[in-house]
Structure formats: C-alpha cells, structure tokens
Amino acid sequence: MPDVASTKRYASHNSTVKFKVREEFDKNRMRHYVNGEVSVMHCHHYATLFTQLALDASLLNGTDHLIRTSFEAFHAPLIRYYEVENVKNIADRLAIAEQYFSFVGLGAIRFACNDRSAVVVMEYSHVDEGWLSRWGRRDSRVNYIGEGYIKAACAAAFDLTNPDDIKVVEAESIVCGAPRSRFDVQW
Amino acid sequence: MAIDRKKIINELSGLQVRGDDQGLIPAYGVLVQRIPVSFWNGFSKAILDAAGDDVGDAAEGLLENAAAECGYHTGHGIITSEEFQAVVSPMVEKEPEDILHGAYGVLTAWGWANAEITELIPDEKMVIRACDYYEHDMGPTKRPFAFMIRGVSRAFMDLAYGDPYPNGFGRFKCEQTRGIEVGDEYGEFVVTRA
C-alpha cells in the first residue's frame, strides 16, 4: 500500500520489528496460550455465523456488540504485548498489530496513520473470505470483527482508551466484490 | 476400545498453526483462526444480556447452532485429515465409535474442552463429561453457558451416525445437564436423537 502509506506519518514499512510468539499448552487444563492469552482454533463457519447472528439481532444492536467484543478481545493482548516487549514507537506498534492479525489467521492488514486518522487496508480477510465461501457475495459489509480489531490496534498504538471515540467506516469490502477491504478511521 | 487419548493429546496439541503469507489458515477443509477465547465468550454473554428473557432462548439456539455447524464441517475436516489418519486411525478398531472417542481427544488437544465420552449407545445416545472448558470462564451464570460444546457434540453424532457428509446434519440434539459455570463439578452433555 505505498501510495497511501507514503502520505501518512506512521506506517509499518518504517518499522523492522518482528512479532514474537510464545505458545504454550497447559496439559492440566488443556488450554492453548498465545503470549499468555487463552486462544482457541475455530473455523470460518463459526466466525460467519456469529456475524450473521449479530446482523439478525439488529434490534439488540448485535453488530455493536460484535465490534466492542472484538475490540476488548484484541486491545488487552496488544497493550500487554507492548508493555512486555517495551514497544513505544507507533510504527512499531502498528507493525506488531499487523503481524498479530496475520498470525491468528484473520488475514493481511496494513495501517497507515496520521495523529488522528488512519487508512487501513485488508488484502485478505478471514471473515470476508469465509462469508464468500459460505454464502457468496453480498451488497453490504460483514467484517465487524475486523472493525473491532482496527479500533483495538489504533487505540493501543495511540494510547486511546475509549473505542467509541474511534470512528471506522468500511469504504470498500472484499465481500462486496472489492479487490481489498478499506477502512477510513478517525479519532 | 483402543483409543489412546493421552497419545492423541500429546501429538496433536503441539501442531504449529499460524497464518500463511496471506494471513489465512486454510486447514481441515475450512479457514481457521485462533483468536482469544474472550472474544467468543464475550460476544455470547453480550448478546444474551441484550436478549434478556424475551428472546434469550432464541439467542441461545443460534449460538448453539453456530457451534453445531462449525463442529459438523470442521469435524468432518478433522476426521479426514492427514493428522487424524496418522495419529488416530491406527487406533481405530470399531467404527464409528472409536472415531468418536478419538475426535474428543482431538477436541481436547485443540483446547475446546477437556472432554470425553462417558456413555455411548450407537446411533441413540452419547454422554460427554467435560472437567474444564473455556466457556465456563464466564461463570457463575444462571443458566448453562457451554453452547459450543453442545453444538459440537451433536454435530459429532451427526457425523458418526447421520447420512454421509454433507447431508447428515441435524439428526441429533444436545442438552447440557451440568455445568461448572452453574456450580457443578464438571460439565455434562447428553446427545440424543432430535
């Protein structure tokens, strides 16, 4: 994404930091830990059916819950990682967030940020491609889990605390036929 | 029954699973991801809290169905995978019962739950005991919360005794009769014909 990133102040291509992974399996409780976080393998059917449930539950603000839950699930591990590894540089934090996203199988994401805004591009997306595989193309977005992740990454990188202060607009979506998803972010 | 559960867990819990150069994990015939359990638990709790008593049963049913479809498709991928063929299949003497026992070894190795079959009447009934599972982390709760194990367990019975994949989904149902999250010592799940 050099065309967008080159116009921004913070981007991962200014970083050489590598995401460090510590994987453990607790044989007493049978739990997997990724950098201390209990993590579990699930499939795209599960992720897309949770998303469909959220969409169906519009009267219960289902997608808002999905976004916030995703924010909370990823913000804490990112913050903890930056503390443990002493990652203070914003470009480095964004690079870690990109690599963590890919490590867990959510796709390929790139952040390009100024102090109060960002353009985020997903070349590949577990949620979109899972949805396409299961149900095919649709005319509106589905990647609320990704939106939560973007909020978490921006908040963690810029030391923001309230996800409601971060506004995300998914301007292009793989699930709608775009070659990549693009999110415009402001805080 | 020749299934060596400990060997399955030892061999399959150490598999390296991580995103490829596209950040995706194509495996077992599906795309997988390995995100924090706090996401799955957190959304389930949030949507049930929002649903309240009015539509809580419906929301629980949708959460359980999401897990059942996951368990059906991914379960099929698991039992036909190279890993399963290499580690579990040599132990199988009686099909599909030994495959079912082996599948719970894999489920445990994946970190879904420390769960195993305690009773199995072929094509009729299966009882699962889980002495730990990540869904009970949300406890204490007023009602059983292990929708994932419920859904996956009935899906595994569908795979064992239903029509050949992908046409055998939905022949069984599962009731959670005990739960750590509601104060019991372990979780118990009873699968019977729907």
Side-chain angles (χ1 to χ4, degrees):
Chain A
M1 200 181 50
D3 53 329
V4 176
S6 63
T7 66
K8 301 293 184 183
R9 188 172 175 188
Y10 309 106
S12 61
H13 67 237
N14 296 321
S15 171
T16 57
V17 70
K18 298 294 181 195
F19 178 60
K20 297 176 186 172
V21 183
R22 190 180 72 255
E23 295 179 79
E24 296 164 286
F25 181 65
D26 179 343
K27 289 191 173 178
N28 291 316
R29 302 195 68 189
M30 306 297 179
R31 305 263 187 122
H32 287 274
Y33 294 82
V34 175
N35 293 340
E37 191 75 22
V38 183
S39 302
V40 68
M41 204 155 54
H42 277 299
C43 68
H44 72 269
H45 296 284
Y46 206 38
T48 54
L49 283 162
F50 263 52
T51 302
Q52 180 67 67
L53 198 170
L55 287 163
D56 289 343
S58 58
L59 293 176
L60 306 175
N61 301 314
T63 54
D64 291 346
H65 291 301
L66 202 57
I67 293 165
R68 176 163 292 261
T69 307
S70 175
F71 170 86
E72 291 170 349
F74 293 113
H75 185 247
L78 286 169
I79 290 288
R80 190 161 50 250
Y81 185 96
Y82 299 155
E83 287 175 355
V84 169
E85 298 295 335
N86 196 29
V87 182
K88 297 187 181 304
N89 179 280
I90 291 174
D92 288 344
R93 290 180 172 186
L94 295 171
I96 294 299
E98 292 175 1
Q99 293 171 56
Y100 179 47
F101 190 82
S102 290
F103 175 83
V104 300
L106 285 177
I109 194 170
R110 295 289 177 268
F111 292 86
C113 305
N114 285 325
D115 286 314
R116 298 183 63 84
S117 67
V119 174
V120 182
V121 171
M122 269 181 219
E123 298 286 347
Y124 300 96
S125 158
H126 171 88
V127 174
D128 287 77
E129 283 161 55
W131 191 287
L132 286 169
S133 168
R134 186 178 168 85
W135 285 303
R137 191 180 291 191
R138 60 181 265 144
D139 58 9
S140 58
R141 69 192 185 116
V142 295
N143 199 355
Y144 300 95
I145 297 173
E147 178 176 335
Y149 189 94
I150 289 167
K151 287 190 174 200
C154 291
F158 290 89
D159 296 322
L160 310 172
T161 54
N162 185 357
D164 294 335
D165 292 339
I166 304 169
K167 307 299 181 195
V168 179
V169 175
E170 187 171 342
E172 298 175 18
S173 306
I174 293 170
V175 78
C176 301
R180 61 192 66 79
S181 295
R182 195 190 89 232
F183 302 80
D184 299 326
V185 189
Q186 289 193 313
W187 58 90
Chain B
M1 198 269 291
I3 295 298
D4 185 343
R5 176 177 162 84
K6 191 173 180 182
K7 177 179 169 68
I8 294 170
I9 294 168
N10 280 340
E11 298 208 10
L12 296 183
S13 62
L15 288 179
Q16 295 281 310
V17 179
R18 52 194 62 197
D20 61 15
D21 57 3
Q22 299 177 346
L24 302 173
I25 308 173
Y28 308 103
V30 294
L31 285 176
V32 300
Q33 80 318 102
R34 50 181 315 202
I35 64 181
V37 300
S38 59
F39 169 75
W40 304 109
N41 281 344
F43 179 73
S44 299
K45 182 176 188 307
I47 206 70
L48 290 175
D49 285 349
D53 293 336
D54 292 345
V55 288
D57 287 347
E60 286 188 359
L62 291 171
L63 289 169
E64 190 264 359
N65 185 68
E69 293 215 29
C70 164
Y72 189 66
H73 297 295
T74 307
H76 175 75
I78 289 170
I79 62 178
T80 55
S81 69
E82 288 180 14
E83 294 89 345
F84 195 91
Q85 300 300 320
V87 176
V88 183
S89 292
M91 305 174 187
V92 171
E93 293 176 352
K94 185 180 180 187
E95 294 190 25
E97 287 75 23
D98 283 353
I99 293 175
L100 263 177
H101 284 280
Y104 277 89
V106 178
L107 178 152
T108 300
W110 278 26
W112 288 2
N114 187 357
E116 55 189 318
I117 300 169
T118 57
E119 180 184 350
L120 179 58
I121 302 172
D123 202 17
E124 281 191 27
K125 181 182 180 185
M126 177 172 70
V127 179
I128 302 300
R129 179 176 293 193
C131 59
D132 194 16
Y133 46 99
Y134 69 78
E135 291 171 296
H136 88 71
D137 293 355
M138 297 309 287
T141 56
K142 291 179 181 174
R143 293 160 61 106
F145 193 80
F147 311 107
M148 190 275 297
I149 305 177
R150 279 170 49 188
V152 165
S153 292
R154 73 167 164 101
F156 280 8
M157 279 289 270
D158 281 333
L159 287 168
Y161 300 108
D163 289 342
Y165 180 89
N167 300 315
F169 182 71
R171 279 192 62 207
F172 290 88
K173 62 182 177 5
C174 181
E175 180 186 3
Q176 184 180 353
T177 51
R178 295 174 189 265
I180 299 170
E181 67 275 23
V182 293
D184 295 318
E185 190 177 341
Y186 54 86
E188 184 181 72
F189 305 84
V190 179
V191 184
T192 53
R193 286 193 186 176

